Amino acid sequence: MSLRPIEDVSDELGLSRAHLRPHGLHKAKVELAAIGAPRGKLVAVSAITPTPAGEGKTTVSVALAMGLRRLGVSAVPCLREPSLGPVFGIKGGGTGGGRATVEPQTAINLHFTGDIHAVGAAHNLLAALVDNALHFGGPCRIDPRFVTWPRVLDVNDRALRDVVVGLGGEGVTRQARFEITAASEVMAALCLAESLADLKVRLGRLVVGRDAAGEDVTAADIGATEAMAALLADALRPNLVQTVEGGPALVHGGPFANIAHGCSSSLATRLAMTHADVAITEGGFGFDLGGEKLLDIKCRAAGIWPSLVLVVATLRALKWHGGVKKGAAGDPDQAALRAGLANLDAHLDAIGEFGLPAMVALNRFEGDPESELDVVRAHCEARGVEVALCDGFARGGEGAEALAGRVWDAIGDVEPPAPRFLYALDASYPEKIEAIATRVYGADGVDLDRDARRALERFDARSPGLPVCVAKTYRSLSDDRSKRGRPTGFRVQVRDARLSAGAGFVVALLGDVMTMPGLPHEPAALSVRVLDDGTIRGLMSGE
């Protein structure tokens, strides 16, 4: 495979070379001065509830961009940077699959341009400055009993979920924790920032703990803002790469959608909308997580709105939601398929709550029976929802031309609808959580544990007017990962809540969701190998 020089990719997008900061031959940073008023349309890519059988949002996003390019439409996928946690954990690389990938794959899946490492360094610098303030004292007088700022690492490591720091006679001994870098509030602040000045404001607002009087202590109180901004200044610039067919792609930022807001950076999306006819961005996991947060958090903050939501589904995933086991998901089973369509319906109904049109992209697997594809087509047509096959994994952009044509027909000459959010920002935080749980998850209501109730009352009094970012399992519409399909007759339980003042939202923690994942029984890391010529193999699932 021969990749184009990144300067040629930049020229195709209409970027000035003066705004390009190459990192080698095939990737580059783009100066923020290249971002202007949006002219292009935005397509939000989401999916049904994730399953072990796989859905392929990134593959479809890349294939759609390549298909549109073949039709003469300038299109740019805006994707998140892969975290080393999933790369070496259970999922493998995050650059698409088959003949629908962004390149250079190996570089993107590993260190790329250093953005995630910069986020980790800035986050941990603040943690070190907090402990330094505890050791020497200072004007902020943070109470060691109420330090809330963790440390981060971009590797899954369950042994670091709860730790004790300050042993050995140096520093203040206290209980602490590690989170994965993708869950860092610094990552969320970077991805939602509109400029370097805005990033500094967000960094200064980061709450690291409380003093003895119960008042919040921030990064600005510690004096960390400028040093953190210095570490993040280059990471704030979007990353330009290319699809496997040579079209432009932007890969920037990497928050998870189950424990953060799950979207690539606002700056990358605005850059794509400035220069392309269509920007294609995805929200992590199913629409109930990344999709809802894309709209209620990212689009609200950035002042942008999609023209269409594309929901990715596969026959195998639908049958899994219909009750079959993973190993049998590829077998013909129309009864399970019809039962699993309830999960698709739930997500389509949730999209309707935002007043947005939806289209279903059926990500085709080899051997998918035509009769089962017809079942999904008929079901969607009965709902008045358009459906198109995507064969991008096997055939690249050519396999997505039909989907691309349907998408362009739907949005090309149509103005995007007016933004409609699930809740008003002046609603209370329990009311916002209730709106998400009942209108998106299908819950009967919300139960607040004592810690959650107290925290939300404090946030309503001291930090009102922020959106809510729900942290919950991605395996179910409910907060119980064992409930497949479209659960009914359930309530969700909020066990705690955290203020992410720097990111600009309140996090509601549901169930037993972990902010530091563990490695599986057979980590993907065990399949990675380096050949004698330095070529790295095994980063992608199934490679």
Side-chain angles (χ1 to χ4, degrees), residues 354-486:
F354 291 89
L356 283 166
M359 184 182 296
V360 174
L362 263 179
N363 190 18
R364 188 204 293 264
F365 278 63
E366 184 179 0
D368 281 350
E370 192 65 32
S371 59
E372 292 192 345
L373 296 172
D374 287 340
V375 169
V376 180
R377 289 190 188 101
H379 180 84
C380 292
E381 288 170 4
R383 285 190 57 113
V385 175
E386 207 166 351
V387 60
L389 290 181
C390 181
D391 212 2
F393 183 93
R395 297 169 53 214
E398 180 186 7
E401 281 191 36
L403 170 64
R406 296 273 187 95
V407 168
W408 186 241
D409 287 345
I411 69 172
D413 296 323
V414 179
E415 289 299 312
R420 184 202 299 177
F421 304 107
L422 281 186
Y423 50 81
L425 289 179
D426 60 2
S428 71
Y429 290 118
E431 289 171 337
K432 294 170 185 175
I433 298 169
E434 183 96 11
I436 297 169
T438 56
R439 297 172 65 184
V440 175
Y441 309 158
D444 292 338
V446 176
D447 297 319
L448 303 176
D449 286 359
R450 183 184 64 176
D451 289 346
R453 186 177 301 279
R454 288 178 174 176
L456 294 173
E457 288 174 352
R458 184 169 67 251
F459 302 154
D460 269 324
R462 299 185 179 186
S463 304
L466 299 176
V468 166
C469 178
V470 175
K472 77 171 186 73
T473 179
Y474 60 88
R475 289 294 194 197
S476 174
L477 284 163
S478 73
D479 55 357
D480 180 350
R481 62 176 290 137
S482 68
K483 293 181 177 178
R484 305 190 202 179
R486 186 174 194 171

Side-chain angles (χ1 to χ4, degrees), residues 1 59 67 85 142 162 265 359 392 420 479 516:
M1 177 179 54
T59 300
I142 188 169
D162 294 289
S265 76
M359 184 182 296
R420 184 202 299 177
D479 55 357
M516 169 53 87

Side-chain angles (χ1 to χ4, degrees), residues 314-338:
T314 67
L315 294 182
R316 299 178 184 205
L318 289 168
K319 284 183 277 190
W320 188 86
H321 277 295
V324 303
K325 295 181 178 179
K326 178 184 177 182
D331 300 336
D333 191 334
Q334 287 201 17
L337 176 63
R338 293 180 189 277

Side-chain angles (χ1 to χ4, degrees), residues 70-96:
R70 285 171 172 262
L71 299 179
V73 179
S74 171
V76 178
C78 302
L79 309 175
R80 290 172 296 160
E81 300 178 45
S83 161
L84 294 181
V87 168
F88 291 115
I90 195 169
K91 183 180 177 183
T95 49

Side-chain angles (χ1 to χ4, degrees), residues 8 14 178 229-230 309 311 332 350 473 500 529:
D8 292 351
F178 273 78
V309 178
V311 183
T473 179
S500 292
R529 58 201 183 280

Side-chain angles (χ1 to χ4, degrees), residues 52-70:
E55 295 72 50
K57 279 194 311 296
T58 302
T59 300
V60 171
S61 297
V62 176
L64 173 60
M66 297 192 302
L68 286 166
R69 183 170 179 255
R70 285 171 172 262

